[in-house]
Amino acid sequence: RIRPNKKNDLIRVTPIAMKATTLKKAAVYAGSLSFLAGSVFAQTAVSGAGGYRTETIEQGFNVVGVNLHNPVIVSGSLDTSNGAEVGDSTVDYGAILSADETYIFEVLDGDQAGAIAEISAAGNGSVTLDGDIGDINGAAYSIRKAPTLNETFGGLTAGFTAAGADVVWVPTGEAAPNNFAQYFKHSTGNFRAAGSFSDPAKPISFLYSDAVLIERKAADPLPIVITGMVKTVGTVVNIPEGFGPVAVSAPVGSTLQDSGLAAVLTPGFTAAGADVIWVPNGPQEANAFNQYFVHTSGGIRAAGSFADADPVSVKNGLLIERKSEGTAGLLTVPDFYANL
């Protein structure tokens, strides 16, 4: 699975530091996001910005995007870019990365900024990606552990089979009917594929560019807490033909209008001729969405409206109804993230 940046957007990475005034600004946006910066407001800067947010999972289908991440394990500049083999000759990745975990490689600047790919092998001086991003020699990069279902959604209701458990629908990157893989938490504690009678060889991971669908079976709402670090650059997301969930890059402060989607999706004079963005209707309301589209004028409009919409806050996951061949594009973060 690979997410190349087809739009060639340029983003310049900045040192990860956060001034107290910037953190206050972010906290104003936060809503359900709380920052874990200790006594940051009494400090001039901290090393990175982390936080948590609580999502309430309702009965039915819930769109959940993960935009708080595991810490960066390795970062630097590339001096090797040979197809799927990339790396820094001074780093022994094999000694740093565990064969029992899944890792995500991300490009931080240059023409492929925001492109991500899973790492399939790690050696001394280079890693092998699950696909060819292109020529990224000299680009800044980072590597972090991929999120897993066990760590992120371990609070979901377990069962002996998927029929008696909550089910997580993970995008495969393919068009329907093969666009989702289904997983559930077995009563022994680990997630496994629906229909499987054994645990996988290693924890099931997913790309953080993909939102997931959580199918909640029980009537009672279930709060889950998502924790991690804020990522200061956008992420290239996959948008397959048909319906596909994508994760919003920024946990706070982002709107449909500045998310980057307008440059990726097919516009139309009405929603009938355009790709449609399905925005969850309220932070804890399953199965209910507001629909928007990119008008031919470039603005974002609600389906059925003849005027551009006011800024539409987004902070989690969206469903994209893609009416033509699948594509990929960069979802951005607000400008003030460059100072986090």
Side-chain angles (χ1 to χ4, degrees), residues 20-260:
T21 53
T22 305
L23 182 59
K24 289 179 181 177
K25 179 179 180 181
V28 169
Y29 279 112
S32 62
L33 179 70
S34 298
F35 280 92
L36 304 176
S39 58
V40 65
F41 290 115
Q43 302 173 4
T44 57
V46 295
S47 179
Y52 70 93
R53 73 168 198 265
T54 301
E55 294 293 334
T56 300
I57 308 302
E58 301 279 354
Q59 186 177 37
F61 283 87
N62 302 257
V63 182
V64 179
V66 175
N67 45 25
L68 293 168
H69 308 280
N70 286 314
V72 170
I73 299 172
V74 185
S75 64
S77 296
L78 300 171
D79 59 19
T80 298
S81 178
N82 183 19
E85 183 182 0
V86 299
D88 177 349
S89 59
T90 67
V91 178
D92 186 354
Y93 299 98
I96 299 172
L97 307 182
S98 169
D100 296 326
E101 304 284 358
T102 301
Y103 299 91
I104 295 179
F105 174 94
E106 180 169 16
V107 183
L108 300 179
D109 62 7
D111 289 348
Q112 294 295 340
I116 63 175
E118 286 187 5
I119 294 175
S120 57
N124 189 354
S126 67
V127 297
T128 303
L129 306 180
D130 189 20
D132 183 359
I133 291 179
D135 184 8
I136 51 176
N137 194 38
Y141 77 96
S142 68
I143 295 173
R144 65 181 84 224
K145 192 166 77 72
T148 67
L149 298 185
N150 285 352
E151 294 171 346
T152 311
F153 305 118
L156 295 180
T157 299
F160 188 72
T161 66
D166 295 335
V167 177
V168 182
W169 297 59
V170 179
T172 62
E174 301 180 19
N178 302 311
N179 48 339
F180 289 98
Q182 299 176 44
Y183 302 95
F184 73 103
K185 184 181 178 182
H186 190 260
S187 51
T188 56
N190 289 320
F191 276 85
R192 44 175 82 168
S196 175
F197 295 98
S198 60
D199 289 343
K202 62 181 180 179
I204 297 165
S205 64
F206 58 97
L207 287 172
Y208 51 70
S209 56
D210 297 330
V212 302
L213 301 180
I214 297 180
E215 181 186 0
R216 173 74 172 157
K217 304 285 182 64
D220 57 309
L222 176 70
I224 60 173
V225 178
I226 297 174
T227 64
M229 306 299 294
V230 175
K231 201 160 71 72
T232 59
V233 298
T235 305
V236 174
V237 300
N238 183 59
I239 302 175
E241 184 177 358
F243 281 89
V246 300
V248 177
S249 294
V252 295
S254 188
T255 67
L256 280 185
Q257 285 81 349
D258 65 12
S259 67

Side-chain angles (χ1 to χ4, degrees), residues 266 268-276 291-295 301-305 321 323:
T266 300
F269 188 72
T270 67
D275 295 337
V276 178
Q291 298 176 42
Y292 297 89
F293 71 102
V294 182
H295 189 259
R301 298 187 177 184
S305 175
E321 182 185 357
K323 296 179 179 176

